[in-house]
Amino acid sequence: MSDAAWTAVDDYIVGHLLGTDPVLDAALAANEAGGLPAIDVSAAQGKMLHLLARMAGARRILEVGTLGGYSTIWLARALPEDGRLVTLELEPHHADVARGNIAAAGFADKVDVRVGPAIESLDAMITGGEGPFDFIFIDADKPSNVAYLRAAMALGRPGSTIIVDNVVREGGVLDADSDDDRIRGTRALFEAVAAEPRLNATAVQTVGAKKWDGFLLAVLGAAE
Ligand code: SAH
Ligand code: DHB
Ligand code: MG
């Protein structure tokens, strides 16, 4: 199987189970026009995040790494009427594009895009007593994944879902001697999750339009 076949199967999945989506197509077009990198989750992955958030009954969602708000919109679609989503983004230009896409999708009143280094935003949220969040999606700079995991645990509650994107990186995760900080960050994340009794976790590899990668999924348990 090649990347071309993986993409063809993604097209088959989207054609059968997702249908056309002018709102998200417009968001991707705005991202491209704004010069954002095309590193959003795929459509099939976005729908999976949406369904997982619904399965979790999520009313408060936290996202780390907004980009143009593509995954944000998928997640916001899972919220009930009184639901809220906070999404954290370092780059002001990414946040501007995202706010436009989120407003065009009809979620301006449910979604709060906060600009700055996510670790600072998260620390302020913990200090400010924000939360708890029912569902947390981590998809920003990979070297910070352990710090984001710790913050997610502090901002969650027993039963919260934590999902981390890009934990396989075409098998790069296996390279114990890597000098790539993203791989080192991902391996540190696996070590941290493995050592954490409050997390019940797995990771699932994916292939498709976004090549060979994967998600780590965890459910938070009670504090000791
Ligand atoms: N979740 C998005 C993709 C996010 S790409 C989607 O699937 O649609 C990763 C994003 O994380 C980029 O926009 C990048 O600017 C942002 N980022 C990188 N370092 C960050 C940091 N330290 N704090 C917050 N965001 C960061
Ligand atoms: C990159 C980041 C992502 O979140 C992603 O899904 C794919 C690629 C990157 O930084 O290269
Ligand atoms: Mg990602």
Side-chain angles (χ1 to χ4, degrees), residues 47 49-58 61 77-79 135:
K47 179 87 181 269
L49 293 172
H50 165 83
L51 291 171
L52 289 170
R54 281 178 55 181
M55 290 172 192
I61 297 176
R77 286 175 171 176
L79 289 169
F135 190 99

Side-chain angles (χ1 to χ4, degrees), residues 39-41 63 65-67 70-71 88-91 94 116-118 137 139-141 148:
I39 56 174
D40 343 67
V41 294
E63 178 178 66
T66 315
L67 190 63
Y70 182 84
S71 55
L88 309 178
E89 174 55 50
L90 175 66
E91 298 292 341
H94 294 185
F137 178 50
D139 187 22
D141 52 314
Y148 298 151

Side-chain angles (χ1 to χ4, degrees), residues 2 6 13 15 24 34 49 72 76 102 106 119 121 126 131-132 137 148 155 224:
S2 66
W6 299 341
I13 292 167
L24 286 175
L49 293 172
T72 316
I102 289 160
I119 205 65
S121 301
I126 293 166
F137 178 50
Y148 298 151
L155 289 164
E224 313 206 344

